[in-house]
Amino acid sequence: MPGADVPQEQKAGWASFIKSLASMTGDLSSMTAPPFILSPTSLTEFPAYWCEHPDHFAEISEGKDDKERMERVLKWFIGTLSAQYTTRNEKMGSEKKPLNPVLGELFYGIWPDSGRGETRLIVEQVSHHPPITAYYIENKQAGVRLQGHSGQKTSFTGTAINVKQSGHAVLTVQPKNGQKEEKYLITLPKLRIEGIVWGSPYIELTDTNAIQSSTGLTAQIDYKGKGYFTGKSHSFKAVISNASGKSVQNYEGVWTGKSHIGGSKGPLFLDTTGPKEEVTVRDVTEQTEWESRKLWVNVAKGIRTGNYDEAGKDKNRIENEQRQRRKDETAANTTWEHLHFSHVDSDSDYQFLSALLHDKLTPPHEDAYVIKPETLNVVGRPN
Ligand code: CLR
């Protein structure tokens, strides 16, 4: 029955939320949703999902040649998907609505050194409307760094929410064998949020995304849900091809479990069911006011304990404060300055790498948020 997974007293609220989805225009983040579907986690924490296999990330630079490194990039990428897209279902029973970050919100974390070097994460909310999150992940010792930004355009089909991700990421690799530095442009897949009418949303990936290397190699990943390739949800097929478009290697399987090289009976490529390493974050009591878990501490507590009045009150306080800041800026004729990232209108890596793709990307330009190296050691916004 529709609404079967919705708590009795929130059924009406869920029905009107679904109705309001029909008139939504692209940005779902600021819509009011019933409490049972709220997550206590802000979207600024999500970039950490890129690195819950810090070993895969570090090992990219140890590949012996460009093909082996591309295969390792693909392995790391596929290995991030279950964290990115199924974690909330595993931990909270269904996909949830994350907290909508404020402009300037920060999130820092590390994956401690266990012989492969420390990996650091820096995240900043660089736009509130529309929401855009910029991130930087680096393992200096391993010679790998990822820089990207992410936004979403949402639309409602009547039963599912389609999410088109905007933004891209660029991975830079300094090969351990001394070969030339490589760049990899990563485009982002589309999402479909299913299970809405039941009140138990979950994500299925659709269409395709690509990884384009400066060496000329391309990986294209195709996603299908139940009933297409394998009859299983969360299926994918990937192909690595060379600069002339000739396929070099195929992979297939599910991104929530096992995938194989060549075909479904080939050697094991990846098993994503193993343990993931969550990011390590400073205790809230040591965080500054702009750091996500500190900023939202009372809202998160309210959501976790079912005290929605408390959650709502503090959310209002935060939002009012933001509105006041914007007003003050307008009055003083100033604009908010990003702490860790500078905005560039056209990302030269994107322009160069996207032109190497066989299915060229449109538009050929995209903006980007570039890390300010001098701020890498700044933790917390002063004042
Ligand atoms: C953000 C970037 C991450 C991958 C990712 C995973 C889940 C996505 C999220 C992104 C964006 C916001 C998102 C979320 C799932 C649900 C949520 C689309 C793309 C929307 C805003 C909330 C929908 C509300 C329903 C659950 C009712 O790398």
Side-chain angles (χ1 to χ4, degrees):
M1 226 207 342
D5 298 330
V6 180
Q8 189 57 40
E9 72 286 358
Q10 296 182 41
K11 281 196 163 51
W14 187 241
S16 63
F17 175 70
I18 293 178
K19 268 195 199 118
S20 64
L21 284 174
S23 55
M24 165 191 63
T25 51
D27 178 9
L28 201 156
S29 56
S30 52
M31 273 175 59
T32 314
F36 84 95
I37 207 72
L38 302 179
S39 150
T41 307
S42 158
L43 262 189
T44 54
E45 296 207 19
F46 283 43
Y49 293 136
W50 282 107
C51 215
E52 293 196 350
H53 290 291
D55 44 343
H56 288 168
F57 190 59
E59 283 159 9
I60 294 169
S61 58
E62 286 163 27
K64 66 176 187 304
D65 54 22
D66 57 348
K67 171 166 181 264
E68 194 172 281
R69 287 189 292 271
M70 175 53 112
E71 186 172 66
R72 288 173 179 221
V73 172
L74 181 66
K75 182 175 276 181
W76 158 72
F77 176 80
I78 300 291
T80 70
L81 299 177
S82 68
Q84 305 256 21
Y85 302 113
T86 64
T87 303
R88 280 78 54 200
N89 292 70
E90 277 160 22
K91 292 199 170 160
M92 302 188 273
S94 82
E95 188 58 64
K96 300 268 171 174
K97 188 171 183 294
L99 296 171
N100 186 15
V102 306
L103 182 60
E105 186 173 324
L106 302 167
F107 183 69
Y108 302 112
I110 60 156
W111 289 267
D113 188 356
S114 60
R116 59 173 180 239
E118 181 184 88
T119 312
R120 298 183 59 191
L121 166 72
I122 294 181
V123 184
E124 181 169 354
Q125 190 68 14
V126 289
S127 170
H128 176 68
H129 201 80
I132 301 173
T133 310
Y135 52 89
Y136 182 78
I137 302 177
E138 179 173 37
N139 182 333
K140 258 212 174 88
Q141 185 182 313
V144 282
R145 55 181 206 267
L146 179 76
Q147 181 170 284
H149 69 279
S150 147
Q152 301 86 39
K153 284 198 184 75
T154 42
S155 61
F156 188 52
T157 65
T159 53
I161 299 172
N162 284 332
V163 182
K164 196 171 171 281
Q165 299 200 65
S166 57
H168 63 270
V170 175
L171 173 74
T172 306
V173 178
Q174 176 54 63
K176 280 289 165 211
N177 61 12
Q179 288 174 341
K180 217 172 99 207
E181 183 181 273
E182 293 164 357
K183 300 239 179 200
Y184 297 81
L185 171 68
I186 302 168
T187 65
L188 303 165
K190 292 194 178 105
L191 283 58
R192 253 178 97 86
I193 306 177
E194 312 263 12
I196 300 285
V197 281
W198 310 105
S200 45
Y202 66 93
I203 291 175
E204 187 57 273
L205 295 177
T206 68
D207 291 300
T208 114
N209 80 302
I211 304 173
Q212 176 63 52
S213 167
S214 54
T215 66
L217 292 171
T218 309
Q220 166 144 340
I221 305 120
D222 289 310
Y223 302 93
K224 288 286 186 296
K226 228 187 180 100
Y228 284 82
F229 301 146
T230 61
K232 286 190 191 134
S233 307
H234 311 318
S235 303
F236 77 94
K237 280 187 180 181
V239 48
I240 295 180
S241 45
N242 64 19
S244 42
K246 195 173 164 289
S247 126
V248 182
Q249 191 65 261
N250 295 304
Y251 307 83
E252 70 174 83
V254 291
W255 48 266
T256 42
K258 288 184 179 152
S259 50
H260 299 266
I261 304 175
S264 58
K265 302 233 152 47
L268 187 69
F269 176 52
L270 179 64
D271 182 354
T272 64
T273 53
K276 297 184 185 97
E277 205 180 309
E278 273 182 38
V279 67
T280 303
V281 181
R282 283 196 305 178
D283 194 80
V284 179
T285 54
E286 291 163 35
Q287 295 188 5
T288 62
E289 301 299 319
W290 287 94
E291 285 177 75
S292 187
R293 290 189 188 173
K294 173 81 178 258
L295 176 75
W296 294 106
V297 67
N298 294 323
V299 178
K301 200 166 97 209
I303 291 174
R304 284 205 184 91
T305 58
N307 188 342
Y308 302 118
D309 280 350
E310 181 189 334
K313 257 195 211 131
D314 216 49
K315 184 166 170 285
N316 282 338
R317 177 190 61 82
I318 293 169
E319 286 169 354
N320 287 335
E321 222 173 85
Q322 285 292 311
R323 272 188 281 271
Q324 191 55 45
R325 260 175 207 282
R326 302 290 88 83
K327 271 189 202 153
D328 294 348
E329 284 161 10
T330 312
N333 204 9
T334 58
T335 50
W336 179 258
E337 231 187 275
H338 308 316
L339 182 62
H340 290 294
F341 296 89
S342 338
H343 183 247
V344 295
D345 288 330
S346 178
D347 180 358
S348 52
D349 290 331
Y350 181 92
Q351 198 181 343
F352 162 60
L353 293 166
S354 68
L356 299 179
L357 271 169
H358 288 280
D359 297 323
K360 294 204 182 5
L361 298 172
T362 45
H365 301 274
E366 202 167 273
D367 65 344
Y369 296 85
V370 181
I371 191 84
K372 300 180 185 169
E374 71 276 13
T375 70
L376 280 176
N377 293 315
V378 177
V379 173
R381 182 180 283 274
N383 85 44

